[in-house]
């Protein structure tokens, strides 16, 4: 993202609201992050006590079930995304005058029906079963993140929030991700005070440090939306100081300039 501000940025009184909204959108990057972090997560350590060993064994079995549901979900999701991509290519082909004499590209993948039950019903029920079976487990946290992602895609924000609140958002890595997404959903509902409370917990979680900078930028935008510019500046300055030369640092610099100008 460029740090240079255009004249339109400075003239637009709703720039904070627009950027806030963009920052809270759930994207495919979210599910890729959960999937990437979960790969290879199944480990049974040697030398544990009997209780620790049994807890780990149970977690391992739960995560094996999770991976089965995740596999079904990702397979369907990939087919739907492939269809949407090929549909855009076909539309571009039709609008290109030079391509009229060529063979139009074929549509690939599978078209989503728009009905959650028909599109992701099997995977959704699988995730729900793990959440109900062991809400304190890492498998349940991962399931809640994926299921909430599905709900958001179908415009079911309240259902996504309810799902995330069913699991234990502890001080673990996945617990931090659950709290981060709860905060993002509150912000999407224009409830910044609740969002800031949830994000504040994430900042205190050392195991979720890899998302701290992103959360601090979102907190800054929420503070701006509630006219607390001092707190917003504090958040942006923290990102700049702790993430020098990063893309997030450049983003924070842009928002800081907007406040000043």
């Amino acid at each position: 993202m460029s740090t240079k501000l255009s004249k339109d940025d400075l003239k637009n009184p709703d720039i904070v609201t627009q950027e806030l909204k963009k920052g809270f959108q759930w994207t495919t990057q979210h599910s890729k992050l959960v999937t990437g972090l979960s790969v290879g997560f199944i480990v049974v350590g040697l030398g544990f006590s009997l209780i620790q060993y049994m807890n780990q064994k149970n977690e391992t079995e739960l995560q094996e079930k999770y991976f089965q549901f995740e596999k079904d979900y990702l397979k369907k999701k990939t087919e739907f995304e492939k269809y949407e991509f090929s549909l855009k290519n076909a539309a571009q082909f039709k609008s290109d005058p030079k391509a009229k004499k060529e063979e139009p590209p074929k549509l690939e993948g599978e078209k989503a029906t728009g009905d959650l039950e028909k599109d992701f019903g099997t995977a959704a029920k699988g995730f729900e079963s793990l959440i109900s079976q062991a809400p304190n487990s890492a498998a349940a946290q991962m399931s809640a993140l994926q299921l909430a992602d599905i709900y958001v895609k179908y415009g079911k924000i309240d259902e996504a929030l309810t799902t995330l609140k069913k699991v234990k958002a502890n001080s673990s890595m996945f617990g931090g991700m659950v709290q981060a997404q709860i905060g993002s959903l509150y912000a999407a509902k224009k409830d910044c005070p609740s969002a800031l409370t949830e994000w504040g917990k994430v900042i205190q979680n050392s195991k979720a440090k890899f998302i701290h900078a992103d959360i601090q930028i979102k907190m800054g935008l929420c503070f701006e939306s509630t006219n607390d510019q001092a707190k917003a500046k504090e958040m942006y300055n923290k990102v700049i100081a702790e993430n020098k030369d990063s893309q997030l640092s450049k983003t924070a610099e842009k928002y800081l300039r907007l406040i000043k100008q």
Side-chain angles (χ1 to χ4, degrees), residues 66-137:
Y66 165 80
F67 289 131
Q68 294 176 3
F69 302 137
E70 181 194 61
K71 181 180 179 181
D72 177 69
Y73 168 55
L74 294 179
K75 182 179 179 181
K76 295 280 289 189
K77 183 181 177 183
T78 299
E79 286 298 305
F80 296 153
E81 290 176 348
K82 188 186 295 184
Y83 176 84
E84 291 299 322
F85 182 77
S86 65
L87 192 65
K88 288 180 181 179
N89 281 343
Q92 291 176 352
F93 177 86
K94 290 180 180 179
S95 64
D96 185 357
K98 299 179 181 179
K100 288 183 177 180
K101 295 182 180 180
E102 299 178 13
E103 186 71 21
K106 295 181 180 180
L107 295 179
E108 300 178 347
E110 181 183 348
K111 182 179 179 180
T113 66
D115 184 306
L116 189 154
E117 181 63 31
K118 293 179 180 178
D119 293 338
F120 294 112
T122 302
K125 288 177 181 177
F127 292 142
E128 285 174 352
S129 68
L130 282 178
I131 293 169
S132 298
Q133 181 181 348
N136 295 339
S137 67

Side-chain angles (χ1 to χ4, degrees), residues 29-30 158 168 179 190 194 233 238-239 250 258:
Q29 190 175 22
H30 157 67
D158 290 334
K168 184 177 180 180
Q179 286 176 321
K190 299 182 180 180
S194 295
K233 290 178 182 179
K238 280 185 178 180
V239 175
K250 293 176 181 177
L258 282 171

Side-chain angles (χ1 to χ4, degrees), residues 170-188:
N170 52 24
S171 58
S172 68
M173 175 180 65
F174 287 114
M177 291 177 68
V178 168
Q179 286 176 321
Q181 298 302 357
I182 290 175
S184 293
L185 287 173
Y186 274 130

Side-chain angles (χ1 to χ4, degrees), residues 2 26 43 72 113 146 204 261:
S2 172
W26 286 44
V43 178
D72 177 69
T113 66
Q146 297 286 32
Q204 298 300 317
Q261 297 177 359

Side-chain angles (χ1 to χ4, degrees), residues 168-224:
K168 184 177 180 180
N170 52 24
S171 58
S172 68
M173 175 180 65
F174 287 114
M177 291 177 68
V178 168
Q179 286 176 321
Q181 298 302 357
I182 290 175
S184 293
L185 287 173
Y186 274 130
K189 290 167 66 68
K190 299 182 180 180
D191 183 357
C192 266
S194 295
L196 289 167
T197 297
E198 292 299 324
W199 287 332
K201 297 174 186 176
V202 179
I203 298 301
Q204 298 300 317
N205 185 347
S206 60
K207 293 182 181 178
K209 195 172 182 178
F210 67 102
I211 57 174
H212 282 185
D214 182 58
I215 294 300
Q216 285 169 332
I217 287 178
K218 292 179 178 180
M219 290 178 76
L221 290 167
C222 247
F223 279 126
E224 281 196 72

Side-chain angles (χ1 to χ4, degrees), residues 26 30-32 34-35 66 70 73-74 77 127 141-151:
W26 286 44
H30 157 67
S31 57
K32 288 179 181 177
V34 178
T35 302
Y66 165 80
E70 181 194 61
Y73 168 55
L74 294 179
K77 183 181 177 183
F127 292 142
Q141 291 169 340
M142 291 187 288
S143 295
L145 287 165
Q146 297 286 32
L147 183 55
D149 191 39
I150 294 173
Y151 279 134

